[in-house]
């Protein structure tokens, strides 16, 4: 099993694959002004096992196109969606969110009223993601995207060095909002995910699965390496989580062409 398959195996069993919560998804729905009064076509990009896609399908009159490159995650999403009675409102698509092709009818220009993406845009980079994805939205459509964000204007040197290496695009919310404005959106809402989205929502279920994961994989060096890295990430958050979080950005696509 290669590293990616091991990661799918570790994360597929958890309620979500990154920080977040049902309450945060509902809060973003409200800030975005989305209501069940009218049918909506929504894309959830980097959906994982569908923590947000299934809420969107449940509370809105929505047809959700849930996209991820992890088939094991999409299989779990479908299973949960069937159990929850929302399977007929979600289509899963195995595709890379950094290569959604306009000549594929499912990703043609202006197909969606709403683009949703929790904890996934860093895989492309925020600026590239919001620019590339914009064409998928109808003019006036809404983008809801969570992005790793500094929550303080200064922070410990070792934390700065770490993030500069793994994701140099990390920045303050004011800078991220500027990126949205430059890319042809008008910001309409913002909040940061509170600690329970990281701890109860994500890290605790993840930690609970470490022993069984190591057992399933014969305590292999690759499996131990993954658990070690996850431990380090959790420890970093426990130590320094006051300085960063996911920001949830809500913005409307402007009618005018995107500035260059
Ligand atoms: C941190 S997880 C978040 C998952 C889910 N949105 C959630 O909040 O639980 C990031 C997700 O993005 C997916 N992903 C990463 N790179 C991708 C790519 N290039 N194309 C499609 N999906 C990708 C991963 O498989 C994973 O499901």
């Amino acid at each position: 099993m290669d590293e990616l398959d091991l990661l799918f195996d570790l994360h597929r069993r958890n309620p979500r694959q990154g920080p977040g919560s049902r309450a945060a998804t509902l809060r973003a729905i409200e800030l975005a002004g989305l209501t069940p009064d009218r049918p909506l076509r929504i894309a959830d990009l980097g959906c994982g096992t569908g923590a947000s896609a299934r809420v969107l399908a449940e509370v809105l009159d929505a047809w959700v196109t849930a996209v991820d490159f992890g088939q094991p995650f999409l299989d779990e999403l479908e299973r949960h969606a069937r159990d929850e009675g929302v399977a007929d409102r979600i289509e899963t698509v195995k595709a890379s969110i950094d290569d959604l092709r306009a000549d594929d009818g499912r990703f043609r220009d202006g197909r969606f009223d709403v683009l949703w993406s929790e904890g996934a845009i860093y895989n492309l980079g925020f600026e590239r993601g919001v620019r590339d994805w914009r064409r998928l939205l109808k003019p006036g459509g809404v983008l809801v995207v969570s992005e790793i964000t500094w929550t303080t204007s200064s922070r410990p040197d070792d934390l700065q060095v770490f993030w500069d290496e793994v994701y140099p695009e990390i920045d303050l919310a004011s800078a991220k909002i500027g990126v949205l404005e430059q890319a042809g959106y008008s910001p309409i809402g913002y909040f940061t995910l509170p600690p329970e989205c990281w701890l109860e929502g994500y890290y605790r279920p993840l930690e609970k699965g470490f022993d069984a994961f190591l057992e399933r994989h014969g305590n292999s060096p690759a499996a131990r390496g993954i658990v070690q890295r996850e431990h380090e990430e959790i420890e970093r958050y426990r130590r320094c989580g006051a300085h960063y979080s996911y920001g949830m950005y809500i913005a409307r696509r402007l009618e005018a062409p995107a500035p260059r």
Side-chain angles (χ1 to χ4, degrees):
M1 216 182 233
D2 70 14
E3 166 112 3
L4 194 56
D5 289 327
L6 284 171
L7 283 168
F8 289 145
D9 182 66
L10 174 63
H11 286 274
R12 67 180 293 175
R13 294 154 204 275
N14 295 328
R16 53 187 316 124
Q17 288 70 47
S21 68
R22 179 182 174 87
T25 299
L26 292 173
R27 186 173 174 197
I29 288 172
E30 193 184 344
L31 279 174
L34 304 177
T35 62
D37 302 346
R38 71 178 180 106
L40 296 168
R41 203 175 267 278
I42 304 178
D44 185 346
L45 304 176
C47 59
T49 60
S52 47
R54 289 180 278 118
V55 175
L56 293 164
E58 177 199 325
V59 304
L60 296 170
D61 180 4
W63 171 255
V64 182
T65 300
V67 185
D68 205 283
F69 69 3
Q71 188 60 49
F73 290 165
L74 297 176
D75 293 344
E76 288 294 329
L77 184 158
E78 287 173 8
R79 192 170 63 79
H80 290 305
R82 279 195 299 276
D83 291 348
E84 294 162 14
V86 293
D88 59 342
R89 273 166 268 156
I90 303 179
E91 68 168 342
T92 58
V93 179
K94 182 174 181 293
S96 182
I97 55 173
D98 64 9
D99 187 27
L100 299 172
R101 301 175 59 93
D103 60 4
D104 176 337
R106 296 169 301 184
F107 302 112
R108 64 178 178 272
D109 290 359
R111 183 165 189 240
F112 296 100
D113 302 286
V114 179
L115 291 185
W116 203 277
S117 184
E118 295 194 24
I121 199 169
Y122 71 91
N123 291 292
L124 299 71
F126 185 76
E127 179 162 5
R128 184 178 154 214
V130 299
R131 285 183 184 275
D132 284 5
W133 294 350
R134 182 179 181 275
R135 65 163 189 83
L136 294 163
L137 270 180
K138 293 175 184 161
V142 177
L143 171 74
V144 179
V145 60
S146 74
E147 161 75 341
I148 197 81
T149 299
W150 291 127
T151 53
T152 55
S153 55
S154 63
R155 70 252 359 157
D157 287 346
D158 62 331
L159 186 67
Q160 181 79 51
V161 167
F162 170 79
W163 278 108
D164 283 347
E165 270 173 27
V166 301
Y167 189 58
E169 263 192 74
I170 186 170
D171 214 331
L172 292 165
S174 51
K176 296 285 170 192
I177 287 171
V179 170
L180 287 167
E181 289 170 329
Q182 289 302 315
Y185 299 88
S186 176
I188 52 180
Y190 168 74
F191 62 93
T192 49
L193 295 188
E196 61 264 27
C197 287
W198 292 77
L199 299 172
E200 282 82 23
Y202 180 48
Y203 286 148
R204 289 220 177 105
L206 185 62
E207 280 178 313
K208 275 195 192 148
F210 286 159
D211 287 349
F213 170 74
L214 290 170
E215 205 169 302
R216 278 197 304 284
H217 299 287
N219 214 23
S220 72
R224 277 188 282 124
I226 286 176
V227 168
Q228 174 62 26
R229 282 200 301 283
E230 301 283 7
H231 272 309
E232 286 166 9
E233 180 187 317
I234 296 168
E235 175 51 27
R236 185 178 314 106
Y237 180 77
R238 292 209 164 106
R239 202 166 43 85
C240 298
H243 296 284
Y244 61 94
S245 187
Y246 275 92
M248 188 75 88
Y249 297 85
I250 299 135
R252 190 173 303 288
R253 178 189 156 157
L254 295 171
E255 304 279 337
R260 295 176 62 79

